[in-house]
């Protein structure tokens, strides 16, 4: 990058283009390496068995198609509104409204869950600090980082991602060595034989378990679509986006599938437990408790960075929505540091409310329900990206983008079909309470949340329409927002 000395250029949307390649690649990689892998994989190994490797591989294939569809859209036009402004262009104002608010549902739920997770992991070091207190401190820190500048966000994310990726890299090396040397881990030896050790081999809980867990696994890949949002604040998107997209998918699949495969070889799958990081389990069995503590720090960093990303992305998306008249107008305010501070504070407030509600609800199911509802948001966001890619080809032809989706439109239809299947599967998801043995039909509750969200969205749309009808017909921003000329200027 030759133009480092000059101040970063400012995009037509008022953002500073100050994210460099190292930021973009690490943000994209770090975004998807979060609590889903460091934490969630433990309980899933226990409930699915070694077949979890296939679940991550299937989800990885869907994520690859998603990234290629997003790549085509980003190389057609870069904007910090990302898929919300693509949905507006391809499907009109209703499309932009829907995808924006569903993305909000996704990150609102994810962020709250991540903050509560930080509180839980913090208790590993300070058992007497209430979960909500550390969650609130984490929230205050992240809001401050985001209000500073996009550069501050990028730096925080970069170093958090370096730590996460470094930890996984070290684990992949150490784990491979242990498997090759047949090292003793706890009561058993590390070996590929552990993949087949249980009754039923790789599928100790049946073939269906591997498919059922897909909605949780897809959720672990959440935030991979961030490359689209950061594109509006990149120094050189033409060169960086294709690179980031190719690199990200390969690395993430290696990290995810590789880690899960190693975890399944190091210990029999029923040694892992829900709510305990599988990495901590392995090192505890080895008698290396301090590595477990270090891993716990990495998990806290992962949750911090994921929540940091949520604040950043919703901040950007909220501002686009407000410009379109789909969210309150004050959300468009920018600070002198080129940060959409009103939107960042708004999402921060939502997180605050979430933490307070959790104190009031006090149940663990609140956390699980939040995560599950978020996964519906992820599925919707991914679906809208596939749908926009199909429409882009229909409207603009094959040469619309410099990074075309391979096998279009069949590959996008395949992606949509896979997401639809996973949505149906969510309904069958259950959770067993370890203490009482009670079965909680979490999937059913999640699916029941969908019509409720639908009704709220519909009421919101009526409000948007009413506000539009009241507005004086002048050729100002409201007109522009309708056909999205605001973004096209960029």
């Amino acid at each position: 990058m030759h133009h480092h000395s000059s101040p970063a250029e400012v995009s037509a949307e008022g953002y500073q283009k100050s994210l460099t390649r190292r930021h973009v690649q690490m943000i994209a990689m770090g975004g998807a390496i979060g609590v889903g892998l460091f934490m969630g994989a433990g309980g899933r190994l226990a409930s699915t068995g070694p077949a979890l490797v296939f679940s991550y591989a299937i989800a990885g294939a869907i994520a690859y198609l998603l990234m290629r569809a997003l790549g085509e859209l980003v190389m057609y036009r870069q904007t910090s509104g990302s898929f919300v402004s693509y949905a507006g262009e391809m499907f009109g104002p209703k499309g932009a409204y829907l995808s924006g608010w569903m993305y909000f549902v996704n990150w609102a739920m994810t962020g709250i869950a991540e903050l509560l997770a930080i509180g839980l992991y913090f208790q590993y070091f300070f058992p007497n600090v209430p979960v909500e207190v550390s969650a609130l401190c984490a929230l205050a820190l992240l809001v401050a980082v985001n209000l500073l500048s996009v550069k501050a966000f990028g730096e925080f994310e970069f170093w958090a991602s370096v730590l996460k990726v470094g930890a996984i890299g070290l684990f992949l090396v150490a784990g491979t060595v242990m498997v090759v040397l047949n090292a003793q881990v706890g009561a058993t030896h590390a070996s590929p034989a552990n993949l087949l050790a249980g009754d039923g081999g790789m599928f100790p809980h049946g073939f269906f378990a591997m498919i059922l867990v897909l909605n949780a696994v897809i959720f672990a890949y959440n935030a991979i679509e961030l490359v689209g949002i950061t594109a509006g604040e990149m120094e050189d998107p033409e060169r960086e986006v294709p690179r980031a997209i190719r690199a990200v998918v390969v690395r993430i699949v290696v990290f995810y599938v590789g880690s899960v495969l190693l975890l399944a070889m190091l210990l029999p799958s029923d040694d892992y437990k829900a709510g305990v990081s599988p990495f901590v389990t392995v090192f505890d069995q080895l008698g290396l408790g301090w590595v477990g503590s270090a891993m716990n720090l990495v998990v806290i960093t992962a949750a911090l960075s994921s929540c940091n990303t949520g604040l950043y992305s919703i901040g950007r998306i909220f501002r686009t929505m407000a410009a379109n008249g789909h969210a309150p107008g004050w959300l468009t305010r920018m600070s002198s540091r080129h940060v959409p501070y009103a939107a960042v504070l708004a999402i921060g407030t939502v997180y605050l409310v979430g933490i307070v509600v959790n104190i009031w609800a006090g149940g663990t199911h609140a956390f699980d329900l939040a995560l599950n509802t978020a996964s519906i948001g992820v599925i919707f966001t991914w679906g809208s990206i596939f749908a926009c890619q199909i429409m882009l080809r229909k409207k603009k032809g094959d040469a619309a983008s410099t990074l075309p989706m391979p096998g279009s439109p069949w590959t996008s239809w395949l992606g949509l079909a896979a997401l639809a299947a996973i949505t149906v599967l969510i309904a069958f998801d259950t959770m067993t309470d370890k203490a009482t043995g009670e079965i909680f039909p979490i999937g059913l509750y999640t699916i029941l949340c969908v019509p409720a969200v639908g009704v709220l969205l519909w009421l919101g749309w009526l409000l948007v329409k009413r506000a539009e009808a009241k507005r004086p017909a002048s050729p100002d921003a409201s007109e522009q927002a309708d056909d999205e000329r605001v973004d096209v200027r960029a």
Side-chain angles (χ1 to χ4, degrees):
M1 300 272 141
H2 39 266
H3 51 261
H4 260 312
S5 47
S6 63
E9 90 182 90
V10 175
S11 73
E13 297 168 272
Y15 291 110
Q16 216 161 4
K17 297 193 166 190
S18 51
L19 293 176
T20 60
R21 175 192 306 159
R22 73 180 172 97
H23 290 127
V24 170
Q25 291 213 346
M26 279 319 247
I27 287 168
M29 225 157 73
I33 298 175
V35 176
L37 176 60
F38 284 120
M39 201 65 193
R44 283 181 219 131
L45 267 168
S47 66
T48 313
L52 186 63
V53 176
F54 299 127
S55 314
Y56 274 102
I58 295 167
I62 301 172
Y64 171 74
L65 293 179
L66 173 90
M67 288 306 277
R68 291 304 307 255
L70 182 60
E72 176 170 324
L73 290 162
V74 172
M75 294 321 289
Y76 158 69
R77 180 163 67 82
Q78 288 97 46
T79 157
S80 285
S82 191
F83 35 84
V84 175
S85 61
Y86 302 134
E89 188 179 335
M90 305 301 159
F91 295 99
K94 232 178 214 148
Y97 169 84
L98 246 183
S99 61
W101 281 108
M102 283 305 285
Y103 195 62
F104 166 75
V105 167
N106 162 10
W107 271 113
M109 295 299 173
T110 308
I112 292 165
E114 302 275 13
L115 284 166
L116 293 170
I118 293 168
L120 283 169
Y121 306 142
F122 211 74
Q123 286 190 325
Y124 179 95
F125 297 114
F126 302 101
N128 303 328
V129 177
V131 170
E132 289 81 14
V133 173
S134 26
L136 289 171
C137 294
L139 177 60
L141 169 78
L142 295 177
V143 169
V145 167
N146 270 278
L147 291 179
L148 264 175
S149 68
V150 64
K151 196 86 181 173
F153 159 78
E155 264 329 288
F156 183 97
E157 235 359 75
F158 175 76
W159 292 109
S161 295
V162 165
L163 187 68
K164 290 191 287 193
V165 172
I168 290 223
L170 284 171
F171 171 75
L172 289 175
V173 173
T176 307
V177 170
M178 290 193 303
V179 170
V180 170
L181 295 179
N182 228 10
Q184 182 157 4
V185 184
T188 52
H189 286 270
S191 118
N194 280 332
L195 293 174
L196 306 165
D199 309 326
M202 282 201 86
F203 299 93
H205 303 281
F207 178 78
F208 196 50
M210 170 193 100
I211 308 289
L212 257 188
V213 77
L214 270 174
N215 83 308
V217 171
I218 280 280
F219 181 74
Y221 283 94
N222 179 22
I224 193 171
E225 71 284 336
L226 264 168
V227 174
I229 300 177
T230 51
E233 291 174 83
M234 268 181 212
E235 281 180 356
D236 186 1
E238 276 71 22
R239 217 175 69 193
E240 296 313 328
V241 172
R243 286 186 169 176
I245 280 179
R246 293 200 184 96
V248 164
V249 180
V250 173
R251 287 176 200 161
I252 284 172
V253 173
V254 168
F255 285 149
Y256 272 120
V257 178
S259 301
V260 174
L261 187 60
L262 271 177
L263 287 167
M265 286 193 211
L266 288 168
L267 282 169
S269 61
D270 44 13
D271 282 11
Y272 295 104
K273 287 192 278 300
V276 180
S277 169
F279 299 95
V280 174
T281 305
V282 169
F283 291 116
D284 279 349
Q285 294 269 18
L286 279 170
L288 297 173
W290 63 271
V291 185
S293 302
M295 235 15 212
N296 207 62
L297 266 179
V298 175
V299 178
I300 290 177
T301 314
L304 273 169
S305 109
S306 172
C307 190
N308 187 37
T309 317
L311 271 172
Y312 168 84
S313 56
I314 283 289
R316 288 357 183 221
I317 296 284
F318 251 175
R319 191 163 172 262
T320 303
M321 289 159 66
N324 293 340
H326 296 162
W330 50 267
L331 287 169
T332 54
R333 289 183 196 160
M334 284 290 241
S335 70
S336 57
R337 294 166 169 275
H338 304 280
V339 172
Y341 73 95
V344 170
L345 287 171
I347 185 75
T349 310
V350 172
Y351 288 169
L352 185 66
V353 171
I355 295 171
V356 172
V357 166
N358 191 69
I359 300 176
W360 172 72
T364 44
H365 289 316
F367 177 80
D368 299 314
L369 208 56
L371 274 181
N372 259 39
T373 316
S375 64
I376 288 189
V378 181
I379 288 171
F380 190 92
T381 298
W382 286 23
S384 68
I385 292 172
F386 283 129
C388 285
Q389 188 276 326
I390 294 170
M391 283 305 278
L392 177 66
R393 283 293 173 99
K394 267 206 173 118
K395 287 186 164 183
K396 305 269 196 257
D398 287 346
S401 168
T402 53
L403 187 69
M405 165 97 166
S408 175
W410 301 111
T411 37
S412 277
W413 283 111
L414 178 68
L416 282 171
L419 293 174
I422 291 170
T423 311
V424 173
L425 290 172
I426 291 179
F428 297 99
D429 205 2
T430 56
M431 292 189 72
T432 311
D433 194 307
K434 282 187 284 299
T436 57
E438 262 180 275
I439 292 181
F440 177 69
I442 185 153
L444 208 59
Y445 283 102
T446 311
I447 295 292
L448 289 175
C449 285
V450 176
V453 171
V455 168
L456 285 173
L457 286 172
W458 177 69
L459 290 171
W461 181 248
L462 293 181
L463 281 174
V464 168
K465 279 282 161 241
R466 228 178 80 192
E468 257 172 31
K470 274 189 186 162
R471 239 181 255 150
S474 63
D476 66 351
S478 64
E479 289 262 295
Q480 285 184 326
D482 272 349
D483 63 45
E484 294 233 313
R485 253 173 308 193
V486 178
D487 279 347
V488 180
R489 282 195 322 232

